[in-house]
Amino acid sequence: MITIKNSREIEIMREGGRILATVLKKVVKAAKPGISTKELDLLAEKLIRQLGGEPAFLGYQSHFEGDPYPASICTSVNEEVVHTIPSANRILKKGDIIGIDAGVRYKGFCTDMARTVGIGGIYSEKEKLIQVTKKALSLGIKKVKAGRHTGDIGAAIQKYVEQQGFSVVTQLVGHGIGKNVHEEPRIPNFGEPHTGTELKEGMTIAIEPMVNIGGSEVKTASDGWKIVTNDNSLSAHFEDTVAVTKKGFEILTQV
Ligand code: MF3
Ligand code: CO
C-alpha cells in the first residue's frame, strides 16, 4: 500500500530526519581506525534516544523469516553491500570503506539514511566509488516531482553509474517509507524513464543507490542479513528519505 502523508505527518518526518542526520554525522565522524562497528552501533543508539527518537532498525522483522535485526545501524565494510550487523570483532582499519545505514522512528514515523566514508586515507578508486554513489543519489533525488515515475529516478542513477564504469545493484531497491521502514512503492536504482509507479505529492520515499566497482550481482551471507558482492568487489551505499512535493522534492534527512 502506498501511503500519502499530510503536512503534519511530513513535519514529523522532517523532525525525525533531522535527528537521524544529526546522529549519522556524529557516527561518521567516530568511524576511525581502531574503532569497532559495535561501538559505532552503541553510539548511534545512545544519540538517537538522547534526541527523542527510537532506532527503527532494532528488532526489525523481515517479512520472510529469520531473527529480527539485532542492532540500531548497519555497518557494511568494503565488499559488504548493505545490512551488515555491527560486531565487536570488526575493527575498522585504514583503507576500509564503510557504509553506515541508520533509521529513526519519531512520533510513529520512520526515516532512513546511509552514508559511505573512507577510514583514514583511501586510494583514488575507492574515493571515486564513494563520490559516484553520492552523486548518483543526488541525480536520483533531482528527478523527484509529482507526476514523475519511479523509473525516472532509477534511469538517472543507472545511466550515470554505468557511464562512470561501475554497476548498480539490481537485486535490492529503495522503498516508500512512513509508519513502516519499508512501504510501497519499490524505488529501483535502474530502469527506464516514464515507467513504474507515478509519484504523487505527499509520498515519502527512501532512495538508496548501491554501487559496485565490479559486477552488479550480490548474495546473502550465512547470517541471513549481510549482503555481499558476488565477485568480492567493493561496494558503496548512499540513502536519503525524500518527500514528493508539487514542485519537486524535499530531503527530509538533513541537519
Ligand atoms: N536502509 C535499510 C533498507 O532499506 C534498512 C534495513 S532495516 C534492517 O534496507 F533492519 F534490516 F536493518
Ligand atoms: Co532503506
Side-chain angles (χ1 to χ4, degrees):
M1 194 181 69
I2 295 178
T3 59
I4 298 293
K5 285 82 179 176
N6 62 35
S7 58
R8 186 187 57 84
E9 292 167 327
I10 301 267
E11 172 56 32
I12 291 172
M13 291 182 69
R14 188 181 292 127
E15 193 57 37
R18 189 166 17 242
I19 293 171
L20 175 51
T22 304
V23 170
L24 195 56
K25 200 172 174 181
K26 291 187 174 166
V27 175
V28 160
K29 247 189 199 144
K32 293 265 165 60
I35 198 167
S36 72
T37 54
K38 179 70 184 175
E39 287 172 277
L40 296 179
D41 181 52
L42 294 175
L43 173 65
E45 178 172 4
K46 186 183 82 179
L47 293 172
I48 289 170
R49 293 192 193 282
Q50 267 177 7
L51 293 175
E54 288 168 70
F57 297 177
L58 187 63
Y60 179 91
Q61 185 71 57
S62 125
H63 297 293
F64 309 109
E65 57 192 36
D67 296 328
Y69 192 73
S72 299
I73 62 175
C74 308
T75 49
S76 305
V77 179
N78 297 336
E79 77 287 354
E80 298 163 357
V81 180
V82 285
H83 300 171
T84 305
I85 299 171
S87 159
N89 299 321
R90 187 70 191 244
I91 312 289
L92 297 179
K93 53 184 197 308
K94 188 171 177 305
D96 283 339
I97 62 168
I98 183 173
I100 303 175
D101 188 352
V104 160
R105 182 175 281 102
Y106 178 75
K107 297 188 178 173
F109 285 87
C110 301
T111 46
D112 192 357
M113 180 181 189
R115 294 289 182 265
T116 298
V117 292
I119 303 300
I122 53 172
Y123 69 82
S124 62
E125 184 77 348
K126 291 181 187 178
E127 190 55 40
K128 181 183 171 190
L129 174 67
I130 290 172
Q131 291 312 320
V132 166
T133 312
K134 184 178 179 182
K135 174 97 179 277
L137 171 59
S138 144
L139 291 171
I141 289 173
K142 285 188 183 136
K143 291 291 175 188
V144 173
K145 185 179 178 177
R148 296 252 173 84
H149 290 75
T150 54
D152 296 325
I153 301 170
I157 291 172
Q158 180 177 31
K159 184 171 161 226
Y160 171 68
V161 167
E162 292 178 356
Q163 270 171 2
Q164 296 298 316
F166 297 143
S167 64
V168 290
V169 173
T170 55
Q171 290 157 268
L172 301 162
V173 295
H175 48 92
I177 181 166
K179 288 187 175 154
N180 302 296
V181 174
H182 292 133
E183 297 184 353
E184 294 294 318
R186 295 159 55 88
I187 312 290
N189 299 301
F190 57 93
E192 298 297 327
H194 314 299
T195 66
T197 304
E198 186 182 335
L199 301 175
K200 299 213 160 73
E201 185 180 3
M203 283 172 59
T204 47
I205 58 177
I207 303 176
E208 49 179 317
M210 290 150 268
V211 175
N212 301 345
I213 285 187
S216 68
E217 293 76 24
V218 299
K219 61 187 179 206
T220 307
S222 56
D223 68 4
W225 282 106
K226 180 166 72 182
I227 310 283
V228 298
T229 55
N230 253 356
D231 58 9
N232 271 319
S233 71
L234 296 172
S235 187
H237 178 216
F238 277 76
E239 176 172 24
D240 276 312
T241 298
V242 173
V244 181
T245 68
K246 214 175 293 174
K247 288 193 176 152
F249 59 88
E250 178 186 348
I251 299 173
L252 299 173
T253 39
Q254 58 184 348
V255 181

